[in-house]
Amino acid sequence: MESLISLVNKIQRACTALGDHGEASALPTLWDSLPAIAVVGGQSSGKSSVLESVVGKDFLPRGSGIVTRRPLVLQLHKIDEGSREYAEFLHLPRKRFTDFAAVRKEIQDETDRETGRTKQISSVPIHLSIYSPNVVNLTLIDLPGLTKVAVEGQPDSIVQDIENMVRSYIEKPNCIILAISPANQDLATSDAIKISREVDPTGDRTIGVLTKIDLMDKGTDAVDILEGRAYRLKFPWIGVVNRSQQDINKNVDMIAARRREREYFNSTPEYKHLAKRMGSEHLAKMLSKHLETVIKSKIPGIQSLINKTIAELEAELTRLGKPVAADAGGKLYAIMEICRSFDQIFKEHLDGVRPGGDKIYNVFDNQLPAALKRLQFDRQLSMENIRKLITEADGYQPHLIAPEQGYRRLIESSLITIRGPAEAAVDAVHSLLKDLVHKAVSETLDLKQYPGLRVEVGSAAVDSLERMREESKKATLQLVDMECGYLTVDFFRKLPQDVDKGGNPTHSIFDRYNDSYLRRIGKFYQKIRQKRLSSLLNEDPAIMERRGALAKRLELYRSAQADIDAVAWSK
């Protein structure tokens, strides 16, 4: 069982190191699901003395006003008898404290580092581990003492701020509330009992501790409270007798103080029958046993939560994409990989894997032939035009038969009209390819991650298409001009004309577009200069920050998963 408390201690330290303090956040929190014991009490309720008595060391800051201004996660580890006691802070992992006066000073200094030398509070916890043969395996969270009045140097909201912080811990269903109340004050006015009742009205999660029993007025006692008649909780009340201020000033040894506490309950007639379940030693053992039981019951739910959250974090990280490489080579590789993805998607549109390529086929198979059908060849071949061209070709000397020069002029004047539909076909294909470029850009997921690169790739593709359009027009018009060089009358019989004009409506000289040529149109890469790598991979800073936070949180959950599995297998 002891390994279960150590397991939770390890996960709590990892949570703090990776920024999971259980605060309201857009990230999932593991801290809230971990069983913990929160120590709650008003100022001067004896809360610090109870903790020091449980530990057996004088190590907490003392003074007037609000002394505890940050949550203190106190993890106790029992070590072999005869071993030297020492303490470690999470923020100073390689430093051991054997002088507990230095521990007190470091708590004060670390609090000031977070809050400044003011009397402000902070919800960021301090992690302190104490290793001693005189403790039980236990974890306690010491919270700032509840107060009713702001002291000098504190804002008026400090009273509500402390209450909100305490409430944020104890309202969680996995939190065990250790409510510290002084016996020399009316229990009805106890700050700890009041706030505990609000979040745990049935008392199932609350353990009551009564301090300062030895300071009650003569003729009064706390038996009704300790036996649960005054205010009933699920667990029996525990009374403790702490060191007096005079004992603290005289540096009375904690071991001696524990002995005097036992003697007090054993020798006082009113409490003699309750002595076995009174005192700080019994309190520590009971808390350790109860915490182990709660952890054991919560482990399956924690495992389920961890597995579910890991899947959610991995899915979101996948959606956000890979982080930007730090070195120039890595950035260049990332850009080329994204360009290859874009190129592949663009080719899939052309090849029919994705929609859009069929529209290009439609230009050659339907749109261009239809445009050729609409050409007015009969106008070029009218008797009036033929007579004019032949007459002009005769010159000053008439021929007996139609001159060849006139024949050629007649054909060329008809064929030259094909240039218009040919250029229009190139423009139509260019327009369709531009649409496919925009589709491919929007469908390349990695480009959504980098707006600058998305603009550059889109511009590069459109520029390439523009350049290819001009080249294609030149090549297409050269083909028309080449055909003008040598033609026969049979050429006109093969043109797809209407039947009533003597044409052949079923035959077309235009075959399906050349696949390899269109693939070459789709394959291009922008030459990227080294100095522009960072500007191209200008990812949204909010996405970068979110990815980094998710990666840290995923690391925490995977570590917790491995730790819990290791304990489960060892059992």
Side-chain angles (χ1 to χ4, degrees), residues 307-465:
N307 293 335
K308 177 185 176 184
T309 308
I310 286 176
E312 292 174 351
L313 290 172
E314 288 176 340
E316 185 170 358
L317 280 171
T318 300
R319 182 179 60 81
L320 292 178
K322 297 178 181 178
V324 180
D327 59 298
K331 290 180 179 178
L332 182 59
Y333 176 79
I335 291 173
M336 297 306 294
E337 284 298 305
I338 294 172
C339 288
R340 288 192 186 97
S341 298
F342 164 75
D343 175 56
Q344 181 62 34
I345 293 173
F346 184 69
K347 287 194 294 184
E348 287 176 359
H349 279 291
L350 295 178
D351 293 339
V353 178
R354 297 171 186 255
D358 57 310
K359 294 181 180 179
I360 298 175
Y361 171 71
N362 182 65
V363 171
F364 295 109
D365 201 56
N366 296 312
Q367 184 174 326
L368 180 57
L372 293 176
K373 288 180 181 180
R374 290 193 295 271
L375 293 177
Q376 298 179 348
F377 289 120
D378 54 348
R379 202 169 178 190
Q380 296 293 330
L381 301 177
S382 65
M383 291 303 296
E384 181 181 351
N385 194 44
I386 292 174
R387 184 180 297 108
K388 179 176 177 293
L389 289 175
I390 291 176
T391 301
E392 290 176 349
D394 279 345
Y396 68 92
Q397 184 177 359
H399 292 83
L400 296 177
I401 59 175
E404 182 181 352
Q405 186 176 358
Y407 171 71
R408 286 184 176 278
R409 286 182 181 176
L410 183 63
I411 295 176
E412 288 174 1
S413 63
S414 299
L415 191 57
I416 202 71
T417 58
I418 299 178
R419 293 172 66 97
E423 285 188 285
V426 173
D427 289 335
V429 172
H430 172 263
S431 177
L432 291 173
L433 289 176
K434 277 181 62 176
D435 291 341
L436 294 183
V437 164
H438 295 316
K439 284 185 179 180
V441 167
S442 64
E443 293 171 8
T444 305
L445 297 180
D446 290 333
L447 287 177
K448 295 180 180 179
Q449 187 175 340
Y450 307 110
L453 183 59
R454 181 172 65 244
V455 172
E456 288 292 331
V457 169
S459 298
V462 171
D463 290 345
S464 297
L465 289 177

Side-chain angles (χ1 to χ4, degrees), residues 58-164:
D58 190 358
F59 69 97
L60 290 174
R62 293 181 178 274
S64 60
I66 301 173
V67 179
T68 303
R69 292 184 286 121
R70 289 176 60 183
L72 175 66
V73 180
L74 178 61
Q75 298 179 346
L76 306 181
H77 306 267
K78 186 175 182 61
I79 57 178
D80 296 336
E81 290 291 336
S83 300
R84 189 175 185 182
E85 298 171 308
Y86 65 93
E88 290 181 343
F89 287 93
L90 180 64
H91 61 274
L92 298 172
R94 289 179 292 277
K95 184 175 182 179
R96 286 189 177 185
F97 292 80
T98 54
D99 180 3
F100 282 81
V103 172
R104 182 190 301 112
K105 185 177 185 304
E106 181 57 32
I107 293 175
Q108 293 173 326
D109 293 344
E110 178 61 16
T111 300
D112 290 341
R113 291 185 195 108
E114 181 68 25
T115 63
R117 293 189 174 276
T118 63
K119 296 186 182 296
Q120 299 291 336
I121 63 172
S122 170
S123 61
V124 179
I126 299 173
H127 272 260
L128 172 63
S129 296
I130 295 179
Y131 300 80
S132 170
N134 302 317
V135 301
V136 295
N137 291 292
L138 181 62
T139 299
L140 301 166
I141 302 177
D142 183 23
L143 298 173
L146 296 164
T147 184
K148 294 181 173 62
V149 179
V151 299
E152 185 178 354
Q154 293 178 334
D156 294 337
S157 63
I158 192 71
V159 176
Q160 189 62 46
D161 292 343
I162 293 176
E163 183 176 330
N164 291 341

Side-chain angles (χ1 to χ4, degrees), residues 253-272:
D253 182 69
M254 282 290 184
I255 304 302
R258 285 182 180 178
R259 184 171 59 253
R260 282 169 43 180
E261 182 184 44
R262 288 195 301 270
E263 292 172 355
Y264 174 83
F265 285 110
N266 285 323
S267 61
T268 303
E270 291 85 358
Y271 308 120
K272 195 172 183 179

